[in-house]
Amino acid sequence: MRTRSLLALAGTVTALTLAAAVPASADGAAVLTTGAFGGTAAAVGDTLTAPLATGTSATLYSSPTGTSGVTCTSSQFTATVASNPAAPGTATETVTGHSFNASSCTSNVTGVLGVSAITVDNLPYTATVASDGTLTVSPAGGSTVQTTVKLRTLLGTITCVYRAPGLTGKADNSDSSISFTNQQFTKFSGSSLCFANGYFTAKYAPVTDAGARVYVN
């Protein structure tokens, strides 16, 4: 069965964190800066947010090249800066929120009439952002990155739970974005309408701190 569904990853994506990659670090600046590359350091405790990049969708496919499942056009993550050392280095964040607006989600899975809810579970997550733009999202010890998808079907609402050990993404300073591509989740529980594996793809931009774009140095 083919399906695609989106996540939180979440995370939902998950998910999930911060700003932008650069070909070289701005030595002396903090890893995360606001307003410009090499600009003002993002302070510990600052809140970072980002919606889906304009014109894009978040998806979870049944295979890396699948086209069936659930697609959402409205999603947002929220993270708090936990540490922000001088570049080159690695900043850390606490991912406190990763939401999907179910009213923006559609499904083309046979037997599925619509999407009732998508929830990113087991928050908060820890995210690290390195000066080379590598982004890693990890759950607390002994936990998993988890997303619960509720689908309306001809037989009633079904609940699909997907888990991943973590997520890896990339930050890009050109548009202050973070991207996740084909991040694999495995079905933990759910009916036969819930696909066995889900591949999460999403781009969030711009990442901002109090309205100012965030850059990775």
Side-chain angles (χ1 to χ4, degrees):
M1 173 177 296
R2 308 172 66 208
T3 62
R4 74 178 165 180
S5 174
L6 82 43
L7 263 215
L9 40 151
T12 66
V13 311
T14 53
L16 282 207
T17 332
L18 202 94
V22 294
S25 63
D27 292 353
V31 173
L32 305 176
T33 59
T34 63
F37 178 64
T40 303
V44 171
D46 280 4
T47 298
L48 311 178
T49 61
L52 285 176
T54 300
T56 70
S57 301
T59 59
L60 188 68
Y61 295 92
S62 61
S63 71
T65 58
T67 59
S68 176
V70 175
T71 300
C72 295
T73 59
S74 178
S75 177
Q76 178 172 299
F77 78 82
T78 303
T80 301
V81 178
S83 69
N84 189 18
T90 300
T92 60
E93 305 165 15
T94 301
V95 180
T96 56
H98 191 184
S99 62
F100 297 88
N101 185 344
S103 66
S104 77
C105 302
T106 58
S107 175
N108 61 355
V109 178
T110 301
V112 174
L113 304 177
V115 180
S116 297
I118 298 176
T119 306
V120 179
D121 308 312
N122 299 338
L123 292 169
Y125 301 141
T126 296
T128 62
V129 185
S131 289
D132 66 359
T134 300
L135 169 68
T136 302
V137 178
S138 304
S143 184
T144 61
V145 173
Q146 178 175 297
T147 296
T148 300
V149 182
K150 293 188 176 182
L151 304 173
R152 298 191 306 275
T153 75
L154 294 172
L155 300 177
T157 299
I158 63 171
T159 299
C160 310
V161 178
Y162 296 95
R163 289 180 171 179
L167 302 175
T168 300
K170 193 70 175 177
D172 185 350
N173 279 340
S174 65
D175 54 2
S176 292
S177 67
I178 56 170
S179 299
F180 299 92
T181 303
N182 287 333
Q183 297 297 290
Q184 185 176 1
F185 285 76
T186 301
K187 185 177 78 172
F188 174 72
S189 64
S191 79
S192 60
L193 286 178
C194 305
F195 44 95
N197 292 288
Y199 294 83
F200 175 66
T201 297
K203 179 178 180 179
Y204 292 87
V207 179
T208 60
D209 179 349
R213 287 195 177 193
V214 179
Y215 295 80
V216 177
N217 297 265

